[in-house]
């Protein structure tokens, strides 16, 4: 198991890129990429997509890695039990059903 930052660092190293080279591809400076790899910088969807492309992984995989990491950290920060994951799964199904009915989910 690894954090999101560790995941990015591993993929970057496997690609033979330094932080600056990857940072340019995702519209960050070198310091910003260092913060990502140290789990200190949140990313928006656009940057996640750019990271996925730069590192040769599927967008969905990149988003899952990022969001699962964020969710796990918040669960610990808020001192919640693992039952929150089951509730989140139920809410995801609920929101997906609304999205199908209304064609667009406003969050």
């Amino acid at each position: 198991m690894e954090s999101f930052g560790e995941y990015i660092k591993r993929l970057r190293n496997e690609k033979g890129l330094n932080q600056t080279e990857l940072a340019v591809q995702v519209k960050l400076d070198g310091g910003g990429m260092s913060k990502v790899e140290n789990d200190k910088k949140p990313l928006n969807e656009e940057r996640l997509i750019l990271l996925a492309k730069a590192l040769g992984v599927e967008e969905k995989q990149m988003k899952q890695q990022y969001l699962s990491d964020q969710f796990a950290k918040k669960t610990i920060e808020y001192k919640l039990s693992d039952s929150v994951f089951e509730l989140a799964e139920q809410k995801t199904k609920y929101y997906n059903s609304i999205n199908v009915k209304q064609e667009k989910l406003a969050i």
Side-chain angles (χ1 to χ4, degrees):
M1 190 58 50
E2 59 193 351
S3 72
F4 181 75
E6 293 165 342
Y7 170 73
I8 296 303
K9 184 175 183 176
R10 178 176 55 80
L11 292 177
R12 177 180 59 76
N13 286 329
E14 287 173 3
K15 286 283 186 185
L17 298 170
N18 64 41
Q19 283 184 340
T20 303
E21 291 168 329
L22 181 57
V24 168
Q25 293 183 53
V26 298
K27 301 178 183 177
L28 286 173
D29 58 30
M33 185 52 61
S34 176
K35 288 179 182 177
V36 169
E37 290 186 359
N38 287 299
D39 297 305
K40 297 188 184 308
K41 180 168 182 63
L43 295 173
N44 62 25
E45 186 176 15
E46 175 190 2
R47 290 229 169 88
L48 290 172
I49 292 168
L50 291 172
L51 264 175
K53 289 178 183 175
L55 296 171
V57 298
E58 296 289 326
E59 288 178 20
K60 182 178 179 179
Q61 180 182 348
M62 183 65 68
K63 291 174 184 178
Q64 287 176 332
Q65 286 287 336
Y66 180 75
L67 291 174
S68 63
D69 193 74
Q70 296 297 307
F71 190 47
K73 287 176 185 175
K74 287 295 183 185
T75 300
I76 293 167
E77 179 184 335
Y78 293 169
K79 297 178 173 73
L80 299 173
S81 72
D82 289 349
S83 65
V84 72
F85 299 112
E86 183 179 329
L87 181 58
E89 184 177 8
Q90 293 169 4
K91 288 195 177 225
T92 300
K93 290 176 183 175
Y94 168 74
Y95 286 126
N96 279 330
S97 73
I98 290 173
N99 194 29
V100 168
K101 292 175 189 172
Q102 297 177 358
E103 296 186 20
K104 187 173 182 180
L105 179 62
I107 295 182

